[in-house]
Amino acid sequence: MSTSAQDPKSDENLTPVRWGVLGASHFALKVSLPGMKRGPLTQLAALASRDIGKARAAAQSLGIPRAYGSYDELLDDPEIDAVYNPLPNHLHVKWTARAARAGKHVLCEKPIALSARDAEALVAVQRETGKLIAEAFMVRYHPQWQQAGRWVRSGRIGDLVSVQTAFSYFNRDAANIRNRMDVGGGALYDIGCYAVNTSRLLFGREPARAMALVERDPEFGTDRLTSGLLDYGGAHLTFTCSTQAVAYQRVNALGTRGRIELEIPFNAPADQPCKIFLDDGSTLDGSSAKVTSFPVVDQYHLQSEAFSRAIRAGGPVENAIEVAVGNMRVIDALFRSAESGRWERI
């Protein structure tokens, strides 16, 4: 007897989830939605924009059958099971809450809110509606991060004592939402959040306090350079993120007996293999590192399939709303520290 015949919860026995998309951002159209579209459990059924012409063009480009000229129209569609929310940061809480109250499960792009207090409001919404709400940190679904987590938990590098993260790009476009204070732009919200999230993943616990230095753009007011330090109790995260530095990203996890290096930790390409390094430190030039390569995968595809599977078959969700609140508490503390010049409790 086949596995699918034995297991009613195997993927081929599950009904695909019909997804609606809020907005037609460049990121969604070019990065996340093409990956989501590939999943057999993820059926992109509708897309909404405040501009019906833009909605129709975006939907047509991705083969999405229905287009709406307002977000509410999409939420009123009884055939939509789940909503993907990649709207600008300041709209995440409002439209995630409205979608859940309209009877839809919600996968919301990061950061899920602009403060822990706002994120906590979504915990109450999830409790009220019974709908799944999760934050879209797609990296947690990539096999390179899953392997790194297994190595840390198994003691392969000894005790994890330090995670060092760098993430940067250069963007001085005043019209870009990443450079607008009023919509939640800036380096920490946009990319520093990855350093926080993945360090919490590797350490498997919450940090106790945070310290940060912030350099703000004199024209935009956004943080264009943020460096932070998280205290995990005998272990640290140190990170730098910038919206005005050379494009670069790297993660090093240092243990008492070895280290793990992720070469492209966050924007893992969907068209080429990724590799990570396990090094016992026997040479200082890195030649002692052993390379593990992973087949080509699309982390957005893996994310939407896992969320669709959780909707249909149950089970845990990565970056559930409670986990998302934890990330925002850390980000809040980092911003407080930048103002106070002191350590801030989380």
Side-chain angles (χ1 to χ4, degrees):
M1 184 179 293
S2 69
T3 301
S4 61
Q6 292 175 339
D7 184 4
K9 292 187 177 181
S10 70
D11 283 3
E12 57 190 83
N13 287 330
L14 299 177
T15 304
V17 173
R18 297 164 301 186
W19 286 75
V21 181
L22 299 181
S25 69
H26 182 269
F27 161 78
L29 298 183
K30 300 300 182 183
V31 181
S32 57
L33 293 181
M36 292 175 67
K37 185 183 175 185
R38 295 171 48 196
L41 292 180
T42 303
Q43 184 181 101
L44 296 182
L47 183 145
S49 171
R50 291 172 294 182
D51 179 336
I52 185 59
K54 186 176 182 181
R56 286 173 178 155
Q60 183 178 19
S61 72
L62 288 164
I64 298 174
R66 296 195 296 282
Y68 292 111
S70 76
Y71 306 145
D72 281 319
E73 283 184 87
L74 185 146
L75 299 185
D76 288 339
D77 186 339
E79 295 187 0
I80 298 299
D81 304 308
V83 163
Y84 173 55
N85 180 358
L87 293 170
N89 295 344
H90 71 303
L91 298 176
H92 285 176
V93 171
K94 173 183 176 179
W95 286 102
T96 294
R98 290 179 75 158
R101 288 178 173 135
K104 322 298 184 188
H105 304 280
V106 187
L107 180 64
C108 180
E109 270 302 330
K110 54 77 201 164
I112 203 163
L114 297 182
S115 70
R117 177 178 295 180
D118 287 345
E120 286 165 356
L122 293 177
V123 176
V125 170
Q126 179 172 264
R127 195 176 300 123
E128 167 197 333
T129 62
K131 297 300 175 181
L132 296 178
I133 299 175
E135 189 175 25
F137 273 104
M138 72 294 178
V139 296
R140 286 196 177 207
Y141 298 91
H142 199 289
Q144 66 174 350
W145 277 103
Q146 294 171 350
Q147 180 64 75
R150 286 192 293 270
W151 281 339
V152 169
R153 292 190 298 274
S154 68
R156 191 72 180 270
I157 61 170
D159 296 328
L160 179 63
V161 297
S162 175
V163 176
Q164 301 173 344
T165 299
F167 195 0
S168 57
Y169 59 81
F170 194 94
N171 184 332
R172 279 280 300 154
D173 179 4
N176 190 286
I177 60 172
R178 293 164 184 82
N179 293 321
R180 289 177 51 191
M181 279 281 288
D182 59 326
V183 300
L188 184 53
Y189 281 140
D190 189 41
I191 52 178
C193 60
Y194 284 102
V196 174
N197 183 279
T198 53
S199 70
R200 294 169 62 225
L201 173 67
L202 291 180
F203 282 116
R205 60 185 186 271
E206 298 298 324
R209 56 181 183 157
M211 180 175 282
L213 287 174
V214 166
E215 168 70 21
R216 293 194 176 273
D217 185 281
E219 179 184 350
F220 307 144
T222 53
D223 62 306
R224 61 183 178 184
L225 174 65
T226 294
S227 296
L229 176 62
L230 300 185
D231 177 5
Y232 278 91
H236 304 152
L237 164 71
T238 57
F239 75 92
T240 292
C241 59
S242 177
T243 58
Q244 294 180 31
V246 64
Y248 181 72
Q249 52 187 266
R250 195 63 51 94
V251 170
N252 263 291
L254 308 181
T256 52
R257 293 190 292 106
R259 72 175 180 94
I260 302 165
E261 181 177 349
L262 287 89
E263 184 179 56
I264 311 178
F266 307 120
N267 296 122
D271 58 356
Q272 65 186 67
C274 283
K275 56 189 176 182
I276 62 175
F277 304 86
L278 183 64
D279 192 353
D280 64 7
S282 56
T283 64
L284 293 180
D285 64 359
S287 60
S288 53
K290 296 179 179 178
V291 181
T292 299
S293 295
F294 300 89
V296 175
V297 297
D298 188 309
Q299 55 192 347
Y300 295 96
H301 156 76
L302 298 176
Q303 175 178 249
S304 63
E305 286 294 276
F307 194 78
S308 294
R309 193 174 301 115
I311 290 172
R312 292 293 186 234
V317 175
E318 283 284 353
N319 289 294
I321 185 57
E322 295 83 1
V323 179
V325 170
N327 228 55
M328 292 313 308
R329 286 176 179 152
V330 177
I331 290 171
D332 284 353
L334 287 164
F335 276 129
R336 289 199 308 270
S337 173
E339 294 297 320
S340 70
R342 302 187 302 267
W343 282 100
E344 293 288 341
R345 304 297 299 181
I346 298 168

